[in-house]
Amino acid sequence: MASITIASTHMSTMPAHALSLNPVLDNLGILISGPPVKDPNALLRYALPIDSRPIKDVQKSLEDITENLKLAGPKAFDPVERNIRQAARALSQNKAAILENLAPSKKEKGQELLDQLTVGLQDFEKIVEDKKRDAIAPVQRELLNIVGDVEEAMVDKFPFEVPEEYASKPLLKGRARVEMKVKVKDNPNLEEVVFQILLDGYNAPVTAGNFADLVERHFYDGMEIQRADGFVVQTGDPDGPAEGFVDPSTGKLRTIPLEIMVDGDKQPVYEETLEELGRYKATTKLPFNAFGTLAMAREEFENNSASSQIFWLLKESELTPSNANILDGRYAVFGYVTENEELLADLKVGDVIESMKVVSGLDNLVNPSYKLS
């Protein structure tokens, strides 16, 4: 597996305490710039290749509700109501600008979403006025999902050219949602769990494309969870001597390059870690901040050895605090678990992935090899 030192199961996944990545950082604090964003859906919204202040103002007002809900009892209602009114005002005053930022082919859909958001904010204010505290967080999440859909409707086309040497590989030019069903053994409280995973091809087209292609090949169906130690959950090492996916058309192990998108860059960097590039202060567009961050495992000292082994990061440690961890820029993140992520902690070695399937966004996958099988 590959190793977390993080790599693959025979490609060495060392225990969490054995991490020996030795970052060349005099001060880890240089990477911290305020409270880290840990919500996977928020991270995905921020990772979209758009620049639209008007919709971001709506988004921020709704996201601020999370902090205000931490206030005890009725103290939360007044600041939450202010957040909702701020969001509604930002939407009303800037609706024309938001519509202008929509991609031409998505304007009709975007208009529908904005209408839903307008009505949703009105209903949300009534919920808060009626002091229905338990309803606030679910409605907030629903409205932020609509905001995310509006923002994705602003992406007109894929934002960069994938380098020629990787352009013929399966590529995810956009986003896709994967449903993963896991059969849980030896747990009287949980027999089966369904996870929703969002793959981000805008920031990791080669990595996400490779995974989506394997999902459509049913590569992971019937495979067991191969590591579950409270630090990561890992799978993807097939039976037999190969430590990854052997392409039946070539008889060879299919590998992909390390792929890291840096915040502010126009396209990912390939084959080298950010440490190797000397970019110690750089932040990644898809950080290891969220519980259930999905990334590729690989050989510790072989940046371009990733194939099929994947892992989900479960929790922070002294080496992986959000916004300042030594995994960012070393391993390729390509998505997040967005539903039932907390149940990853209940998985054990030997639990079985009954199925994985792409449930939306498959049309964003180009050069799919599964169709050639």
Side-chain angles (χ1 to χ4, degrees):
M1 233 182 189
S3 130
I4 312 206
T5 31
I6 294 172
S8 350
T9 44
H10 290 113
M11 293 157 82
S12 136
T13 318
M14 296 172 72
H17 66 267
L19 277 160
S20 57
L21 298 180
N22 301 319
V24 186
L25 287 175
D26 294 329
N27 177 13
L28 224 71
I30 61 176
L31 296 182
I32 303 176
S33 57
V37 177
K38 297 184 181 182
D39 178 77
N41 291 294
L43 289 166
L44 287 160
R45 286 191 293 272
Y46 289 124
L48 282 167
I50 65 168
D51 182 15
S52 176
R53 176 67 182 272
I55 192 65
K56 290 298 183 185
D57 286 345
V58 178
Q59 176 183 322
K60 185 180 185 307
S61 294
L62 288 172
E63 288 177 344
D64 285 347
I65 289 171
T66 300
E67 282 300 310
N68 288 325
L69 278 178
K70 294 178 182 178
L71 296 172
K75 293 180 180 179
F77 290 116
D78 283 348
V80 168
E81 189 169 0
R82 283 197 297 272
N83 293 144
I84 297 169
R85 288 175 177 171
Q86 287 168 353
R89 185 165 56 250
L91 179 60
S92 175
Q93 292 177 349
N94 298 301
K95 193 169 186 178
I98 294 171
L99 285 168
E100 182 65 26
N101 287 330
L102 294 170
S105 62
K106 302 175 183 177
K107 281 193 181 293
E108 184 176 349
K109 177 62 175 176
Q111 177 69 69
E112 292 175 5
L113 290 167
L114 290 174
D115 291 344
Q116 290 177 30
L117 188 56
T118 299
V119 173
L121 286 168
Q122 293 168 354
D123 293 342
F124 197 11
E125 189 170 352
K126 183 69 166 59
I127 287 170
V128 177
E129 288 174 354
D130 293 343
K131 301 191 178 339
K132 297 178 180 178
R133 187 182 177 105
D134 290 344
I136 292 175
V139 174
Q140 176 205 24
R141 182 185 178 101
E142 179 183 339
L143 293 179
L144 280 170
N145 285 340
I146 295 174
V147 169
D149 290 341
V150 171
E151 292 173 343
E152 191 157 3
M154 294 177 176
V155 183
D156 190 11
K157 58 183 179 180
F158 194 70
F160 59 88
E161 290 293 326
V162 174
E164 185 178 354
E165 57 266 44
Y166 318 124
S168 63
K169 293 180 177 292
L171 305 173
L172 187 65
K173 292 192 169 184
R175 288 181 169 172
R177 186 172 296 278
V178 171
E179 181 182 273
M180 178 174 74
K181 293 183 180 180
V182 179
K183 179 70 174 178
V184 180
K185 299 180 179 179
D186 302 322
N187 186 334
N189 300 314
L190 190 66
E191 293 185 1
E192 183 183 82
V193 59
V194 179
F195 299 97
Q196 296 292 326
I197 305 167
L198 195 63
L199 309 181
D200 188 354
Y202 290 125
N203 294 291
V206 177
T207 313
N210 176 72
F211 178 72
D213 188 65
L214 292 175
V215 167
E216 288 305 291
R217 282 180 171 273
H218 305 287
F219 176 84
Y220 297 98
D221 294 3
M223 189 172 286
E224 293 186 349
I225 299 299
Q226 296 157 349
R227 175 182 175 181
D229 56 10
F231 179 61
V232 301
V233 168
Q234 187 166 340
T235 192
D237 185 11
D239 293 335
E243 296 177 353
F245 169 65
V246 175
D247 191 332
S249 68
T250 64
K252 296 180 180 179
L253 183 72
R254 186 172 85 185
T255 59
I256 55 174
L258 179 64
E259 181 178 45
I260 308 290
M261 178 68 92
V262 174
D263 196 15
D265 285 4
K266 293 184 177 181
Q267 64 182 58
V269 294
Y270 290 92
E271 301 194 1
E272 294 182 278
T273 68
L274 297 188
E275 180 184 354
E276 289 167 346
L277 293 169
R279 302 183 67 177
Y280 305 120
K281 295 185 180 182
T283 57
T284 58
K285 290 286 281 188
L286 300 176
F288 280 94
N289 282 17
F291 192 100
T293 298
L294 174 61
M296 293 301 300
R298 60 172 176 82
E299 291 281 5
E300 181 183 1
F301 300 110
E302 295 290 340
N303 293 347
N304 306 316
S305 59
S307 177
S308 61
Q309 294 193 42
I310 57 174
F311 67 93
W312 293 270
L313 187 69
L314 298 191
K315 67 177 184 179
E316 299 179 16
S317 73
E318 66 278 6
L319 293 174
T320 59
S322 296
N323 261 28
N325 79 68
I326 59 176
L327 300 182
D328 284 335
R330 294 172 178 266
Y331 294 91
V333 174
F334 61 99
Y336 297 97
V337 179
T338 58
E339 290 185 26
N340 289 329
E341 61 269 25
E342 71 283 356
L343 296 179
L344 285 167
D346 293 319
L347 300 187
K348 302 290 187 293
V349 172
D351 290 344
V352 177
I353 298 171
E354 293 184 311
S355 65
M356 279 196 201
K357 61 181 179 180
V358 178
V359 293
S360 66
L362 189 58
D363 54 332
N364 292 324
L365 181 64
V366 300
N367 307 326
S369 75
Y370 72 91
K371 290 187 176 181
L372 306 177
S373 301

